[in-house]
Amino acid sequence: MNNVNGILLVVGAMAAFALEDMFIKHLSASVPTGQIMILLGAVCGLIFAVMTVVTRKRIFDRAAWRPLPLVRAVSEGVGAIAFVTALALVDLSTVAAVFQALPLAVTVGAALFLGEQVGWRRWSAVCVGFLGVLMIIRPGLAGFQPETLLVVISVFCIAARDLITRRLDADIASSVVAMQAYVAAILGGLVLMVVQTQSLVPIAGPQMGPLIGAVLFSVLGYYGIVTAMRVGDASALTPFRYTRLVFSITAGMIMFGERPDLMTIAGASLILGSGLYTFLRERRLARVMVAAA
């Protein structure tokens, strides 16, 4: 029953993240991307700061402000700049499809930087997954959009964030880590506004709805995924993270009239298939290690 509840929470969280992306993309048509990041970072950061206080955790715990957590926040900030900018320029379905390569990037990073053993089968799956990314991006072909490379940058930044998270002190409150991420988003938004010479836009009635939606679903998505991982087994829940792609494609088709072409669908299928194979392979190896012990 716990795994069933966890699966429902994961699916709900993925739907929330897809809706957050949809609202950000809609908002980016009339509000600078840097300003969007600042607004989201300020409101969501405040929410998690309040959660930290309410749960009697220490915001300024020394362990939370050492170099490693700060490097994690910087990685998330750079990834957020790339991701939000990509959302403003590229189809939502394309952004979501390329972003599904994140688990593959984490596998590569774990092998290169954390010394984890990755056999030829998983390396082959990683190569197939990145072939799917190339099929979607299409470098050198007629359908190539340079802006899609921003999603690739975001994938590697968020992968770095996830790898660093594995090394964080377990005593650091999750709400503090989340707050740091949103503070990094604020700083990233300021950098983006300066670099792109963006001007602040007054938030009027038409922008208020999408902004509230983005904040609401960002918090719900984060809360849902954290709760899911606490009530269910990670091995049972991880495959359901890929439902985000389904929700994103549906949102893109309904809200923005997007129609992913055959190459995009084929590339997304390769990414999903290789990601699921990598997950199942890791799960099998974990069982073998437990049995051997």
Side-chain angles (χ1 to χ4, degrees), residues 37 73-85 99 150-151 153-158:
M37 290 181 62
V74 170
S75 297
E76 182 135 34
V78 175
I81 291 174
F83 188 81
V84 172
T85 305
F99 198 73
L150 290 168
V151 192
I153 293 172
S154 177
V155 164
F156 283 106
C157 288
I158 300 304

Side-chain angles (χ1 to χ4, degrees), residues 103-108 118-119 121-129 238 242 270-285:
L104 302 176
V106 171
T107 298
V108 172
V118 176
R121 292 182 179 85
R122 282 191 286 168
W123 277 119
S124 298
V126 167
C127 291
V128 170
T238 298
Y242 288 106
L270 284 180
I271 295 171
L272 292 179
S274 59
L276 288 172
Y277 175 82
T278 301
F279 163 75
L280 292 173
R281 182 66 183 169
E282 290 177 351
R283 185 179 181 183
R284 181 181 177 184
L285 291 175

Side-chain angles (χ1 to χ4, degrees), residues 57-162:
K57 304 291 184 181
R58 292 169 53 191
I59 292 179
F60 296 105
D61 186 357
R62 181 176 298 178
W65 299 94
R66 289 175 179 164
L68 195 59
L70 295 181
V71 171
R72 180 196 182 277
V74 170
S75 297
E76 182 135 34
V78 175
I81 291 174
F83 188 81
V84 172
T85 305
L87 277 177
L89 302 174
V90 183
D91 285 353
L92 177 59
S93 54
T94 300
V95 173
V98 176
F99 198 73
Q100 298 308 307
L102 176 60
L104 302 176
V106 171
T107 298
V108 172
L112 295 178
F113 303 109
L114 300 184
E116 294 187 10
Q117 295 297 316
V118 176
W120 67 269
R121 292 182 179 85
R122 282 191 286 168
W123 277 119
S124 298
V126 167
C127 291
V128 170
F130 284 126
L131 175 61
V133 172
L134 291 176
M135 290 174 65
I136 297 171
I137 296 176
R138 300 165 220 181
L141 300 180
F144 174 58
Q145 289 181 276
E147 296 85 359
T148 55
L149 295 176
L150 290 168
V151 192
V152 178
I153 293 172
S154 177
V155 164
F156 283 106
C157 288
I158 300 304
R161 175 205 69 181
D162 289 349

Side-chain angles (χ1 to χ4, degrees), residues 180-199:
Q180 289 175 328
Y182 284 112
V183 170
I186 295 173
L187 298 176
L190 290 171
V191 170
L192 200 57
M193 294 198 72
V194 171
V195 171
Q196 297 184 350
T197 61
Q198 298 175 345
S199 300

Side-chain angles (χ1 to χ4, degrees), residues 27 30-31 35 201-211:
L27 197 61
S30 57
V31 179
Q35 185 175 349
V201 173
I203 302 299
Q207 290 92 12
M208 190 59 68
L211 177 61

Side-chain angles (χ1 to χ4, degrees), residues 216-237:
L216 174 64
F217 287 111
S218 177
V219 173
L220 286 177
Y222 183 87
Y223 180 80
I225 199 67
V226 170
T227 305
M229 291 304 171
R230 288 182 173 178
V231 302
D233 299 324
S235 60
L237 306 184

